[in-house]
Amino acid sequence: MRFDGTDDYVSTDDLTMAVNAAITLERPLLVKGEPGTGKTELARQVAQALGLPMIEWNVKSTTKAQQGLYEYDAVSRLRDSQLGDEKVNDVANYIRKGKLWQAFEADGKVVLLIDEVDKADIEFPNDLLQELDKMEFHVYETGETVKARQRPIVIITSNNEKELPDAFLRRCFFHYIKFPDHDTLRKIVEVHHPDIKPALLTSALTQFYELREQPGLKKKPSTSEVLDWLKLLLAEDLDAEDLKRDGANALPKLHGALLKNEQDVHLFERLAFMARRQGR
């Protein structure tokens, strides 16, 4: 079982190696990187390439590790007991299986995505250590032990919003997705927009990297945002000449796809103002 990328996803050599190393070691693959660099999409593409089903657990700030195992609905059981419902005699009727349980009981191997693990409380990763290591957990209400029929391929993503515990990191194979260089980004764009004219692509990527490298920028635009921007440029039927800027306008065309806060927009407006003053 080996991942070599897909037609829809440009995987660099080091990312491909990381995926296959995690599969070989049977350890979770922890993927970090800027938002929008394809971390979540990686799991989907691994599942597609290997022909495996995917189970996705989207972590939120309120998510608890226990929810990934199971939840016991005591309130519903109490209500049913008051109504005289016979199903209250079997506590299993009130156990809701979590994403890990679903992955463990699957008939075959699956890809389990734990997305944005750093959003949750700092104890969240520690609370999953044993389950991800031993691939089993105990259900206290029923007394059963749930063991994985086949060890899933676990991919965990993080936007680096907070540090993860050392004990958790030791159990993972780690990879940081660097922001793609010019050639890699060109390949990514050509996958999504195969008919884009070379001159437009060259001009757009030049502007994009100049924008990303602007000192003082609060939020650098990501891969997903440049793809959206190019989609808009194509929809408006713009060409390389249309993208040319003068000193009076430092903002790129349709900049709302790239700049996502007012501070960054004001930064480029100030640059344009300074350029106009110097040009007098």
Side-chain angles (χ1 to χ4, degrees), residues 73 76 80 86-96 142:
D73 191 353
S76 293
D80 289 345
E86 291 186 359
K87 73 177 185 180
V88 300
N89 297 319
D90 186 358
V91 68
N93 290 324
Y94 303 93
I95 300 293
R96 290 202 294 259
T142 63

Side-chain angles (χ1 to χ4, degrees), residues 88-269:
V88 300
N89 297 319
D90 186 358
V91 68
N93 290 324
Y94 303 93
I95 300 293
R96 290 202 294 259
K97 298 176 181 179
K99 299 297 184 179
L100 264 72
W101 191 331
Q102 294 172 29
F104 286 4
E105 73 172 2
D107 291 332
K109 188 178 282 291
V110 301
V111 173
L112 172 62
L113 169 63
I114 304 177
D115 201 24
E116 298 189 336
V117 69
D118 53 325
K119 277 188 175 180
D121 184 85
I122 189 63
E123 291 304 318
F124 178 88
N126 279 334
D127 292 341
L128 289 176
L129 288 179
Q130 181 171 323
E131 289 75 16
L132 291 176
D133 200 20
K134 295 186 176 181
M135 285 288 153
E136 66 178 50
F137 62 89
H138 186 69
V139 183
Y140 295 98
E141 289 77 7
T142 63
E144 66 179 309
T145 297
V146 177
K147 296 184 178 181
R149 296 177 182 174
Q150 290 197 47
R151 195 176 189 98
I153 298 172
V154 181
I155 297 178
I156 304 171
T157 72
S158 168
N159 287 329
N160 236 359
E161 291 183 7
K162 63 171 67 84
E163 289 295 322
L164 298 174
D166 288 344
F168 180 77
L169 295 175
R170 281 198 301 272
R171 288 166 169 81
C172 298
F173 190 92
F174 172 76
H175 181 76
Y176 183 86
I177 297 183
K178 300 176 183 177
F179 192 83
D181 58 26
H182 197 285
D183 289 339
T184 303
L185 186 55
R186 179 180 284 270
K187 292 176 184 177
I188 293 171
V189 170
E190 288 171 348
V191 166
H192 291 83
H193 303 296
D195 298 326
I196 192 169
K197 295 177 181 177
L200 174 62
L201 179 55
T202 298
S203 180
L205 291 186
T206 299
Q207 279 195 28
F208 173 72
Y209 278 102
E210 288 174 352
L211 187 148
R212 262 188 65 90
E213 293 163 8
Q214 176 61 47
L217 200 63
K218 185 175 181 180
K219 182 195 177 301
K220 295 182 178 182
S222 67
T223 308
S224 61
E225 286 159 341
V226 73
L227 292 175
D228 287 344
W229 183 51
L230 288 168
K231 184 176 181 179
L232 289 174
L233 296 181
L234 291 171
E236 294 294 325
D237 198 25
L238 300 179
D239 57 27
E241 286 295 317
D242 295 321
L243 296 188
K244 287 185 176 180
R245 294 175 293 176
D246 53 37
N249 186 12
L251 286 166
K253 298 278 187 183
L254 301 165
H255 63 270
L258 299 173
L259 302 175
K260 298 302 177 71
N261 60 65
E262 63 276 13
Q263 294 98 319
D264 289 342
V265 174
H266 292 161
L267 171 64
F268 281 90
E269 288 174 343

